[in-house]
Amino acid sequence: MKRNDNDSGGAGSAVTVRGLVKHYGGTRALDGVDLEVREGTVMGVLGPNGAGKTTLVRILSTLLAPTAGEATVAGYDVLRQPRQLRRVIGLTGQYASVDEKLAGWENLYLIGRLLDLSRKEARARADELLERFSLTEAARRPAATYSGGMRRRLDLAASMIGRPEVLFLDEPTTGLDPRTRNEVWVEVRRLVGDGVTVLLTTQYMEEAEQLASELTVVDRGKVIANGGIEELKARVGGRTLRIRPADPLQLSPLASALDELGITGLAAATVDSERGAVLVPILSDEQLTAVVGAVTARGLTLASITTELPSLDEVFLSLTGHRASAPQDTVPAETREEAAA
């Protein structure tokens, strides 16, 4: 069967999702998700625990069937062309999926054979990937003896056996130390440099900022924002004013005065009691002038006023109302049953 060439899979798009819905009884894990990933880029999918990120990846990798909606990956329809689609994707989940009793080389060779590579091709591909991911010296050791970082690299190598066009990374660095996480980032960048398209789910804001060219933020099964990192920062507030009154007792009156202006965009003034300051997101120089005017009109004496660019974590908090955290999505047991079907 040929690839789907309808409008939902437009030229230059490696992944296209339209109105994707997934129900678990009365729970909507996905509620009309739209998503598009350009070829050769990294799309970061962010969201709080239980937002639906893992459910989305499982549908796109054909492990789950959607309740409604449509999706194409590398031009193949996830429902009508699952076998063809599986041959052009790779998947690395939150935890190592290799067989720990087998050596690293044996894991890769076995996957190659399962993908219908000849014995010669599977051996060559296993050797090639072990060298690429700096695992040659440990090739004959059982995977159970590998460090956390080595297992993640072996996972990535396993997902690349079939030379996928699209790679799904579902929180791939969960539980890793910063050094090992950086090693995984290096490999992801290298894959993208080779033309692989990556859809990355993560709750590490630094990881999203390091790897993703575009972001989609999901919450309660819905897409609530998407765009480039700088674009999302601008939506939340181009800058944040940190205003410190000379008298700490003036924190609340200062915050009230700024709230009354009604110019703070998507977020209100907040009090940082620990640092004795009021934080105000602003969108323009005109708003900065208005803030200074309001402070002067109230006769409030300031110790300092500084401007800061919002962090991606602040963007996440403003959009979702949640702090980013690292645990996996809470997915009902039906997911495991459907994935095994």
Side-chain angles (χ1 to χ4, degrees):
M1 184 182 294
K2 293 183 179 180
R3 298 191 187 201
N4 186 343
D5 293 324
N6 63 22
D7 292 340
S8 66
S13 297
V15 179
T16 303
V17 175
R18 294 288 180 264
L20 208 61
V21 175
K22 180 61 182 178
H23 292 175
Y24 295 107
T27 301
R28 284 198 170 202
L30 297 178
D31 191 9
V33 168
D34 292 334
L35 179 72
E36 192 153 347
V37 186
R38 293 180 293 112
E39 293 177 353
T41 66
V42 179
M43 168 64 79
V45 179
L46 308 179
N49 187 39
K53 303 183 302 297
T54 293
T55 298
L56 175 63
V57 168
R58 288 173 174 170
I59 290 174
L60 294 178
S61 56
T62 75
L63 296 177
L64 282 176
T67 304
E70 59 182 22
T72 60
V73 178
Y76 292 112
D77 186 280
V78 296
L79 284 177
R80 296 198 295 268
Q81 301 165 296
R83 291 186 179 181
Q84 296 94 321
L85 190 156
R86 289 171 192 150
R87 291 186 174 276
V88 296
I89 65 171
L91 171 63
T92 296
Q94 298 173 25
Y95 303 101
S97 59
V98 296
D99 189 326
E100 294 191 346
K101 294 182 180 179
L102 297 180
W105 187 90
E106 292 171 332
N107 269 287
L108 300 187
Y109 175 79
L110 176 60
I111 293 171
R113 294 292 288 147
L114 291 172
L115 291 174
D116 295 330
L117 298 183
S118 68
R119 288 183 174 85
K120 181 179 180 180
E121 291 171 329
R123 284 195 295 268
R125 188 65 173 150
D127 291 340
E128 175 190 345
L129 288 169
L130 286 167
E131 181 176 357
R132 175 170 183 172
F133 286 89
S134 303
L135 293 169
T136 302
E137 293 184 3
R140 302 295 173 178
R141 283 169 39 196
T145 68
Y146 286 16
S147 67
M150 292 170 67
R151 291 190 193 191
R152 299 312 284 154
R153 295 204 303 276
L154 183 60
D155 258 353
L156 280 171
S159 69
M160 296 304 297
I161 287 285
R163 293 184 171 86
E165 298 176 32
V166 179
L167 178 62
F168 296 108
L169 301 178
D170 187 18
E171 302 200 16
T173 61
T174 294
L176 298 184
D177 61 80
R179 178 181 176 181
T180 304
R181 187 176 301 140
N182 189 66
E183 292 175 358
V184 174
W185 293 352
V186 169
E187 297 303 334
V188 172
R189 292 190 190 101
R190 185 183 301 175
L191 294 173
V192 175
D194 289 344
V196 177
T197 302
V198 175
L199 188 147
L200 165 75
T201 75
T202 183
Q203 292 210 35
Y204 294 117
M205 298 300 102
E206 183 185 8
E207 182 163 85
E209 199 144 14
Q210 286 285 331
L211 297 178
S213 51
E214 294 184 74
L215 298 176
T216 292
V217 183
V218 295
D219 193 19
R220 299 178 183 177
K222 294 179 178 289
V223 172
I224 60 174
N226 55 44
I229 292 174
E230 296 307 316
E231 179 184 348
L232 291 181
K233 285 183 177 181
R235 283 185 56 184
V236 172
R239 289 168 291 172
T240 296
L241 296 180
R242 181 178 292 274
I243 307 173
R244 291 182 59 244
D247 181 357
L249 295 178
Q250 293 182 332
L251 279 174
S252 293
L254 175 58
S256 298
L258 297 176
D259 276 341
E260 289 173 8
L261 289 176
I263 62 168
T264 53
L266 298 180
T270 58
V271 175
D272 183 350
S273 299
E274 291 184 6
R275 299 184 182 181
V278 175
L279 307 182
V280 189
I282 61 170
L283 304 175
S284 66
D285 290 339
E286 289 75 13
Q287 291 184 346
L288 170 59
T289 301
V291 167
V292 173
V295 172
T296 302
R298 289 292 183 98
L300 300 173
T301 304
L302 301 184
S304 65
I305 178 169
T306 59
T307 61
E308 304 171 354
L309 289 175
S311 67
L312 193 55
D313 189 65
E314 289 170 331
V315 172
F316 186 92
L317 174 62
S318 179
L319 291 172
T320 68
H322 307 277
R323 284 285 181 190
S325 56
Q328 65 177 351
D329 282 350
T330 303
V331 179
E334 292 94 323
T335 298
R336 297 189 296 273
E337 295 169 3
E338 292 189 42

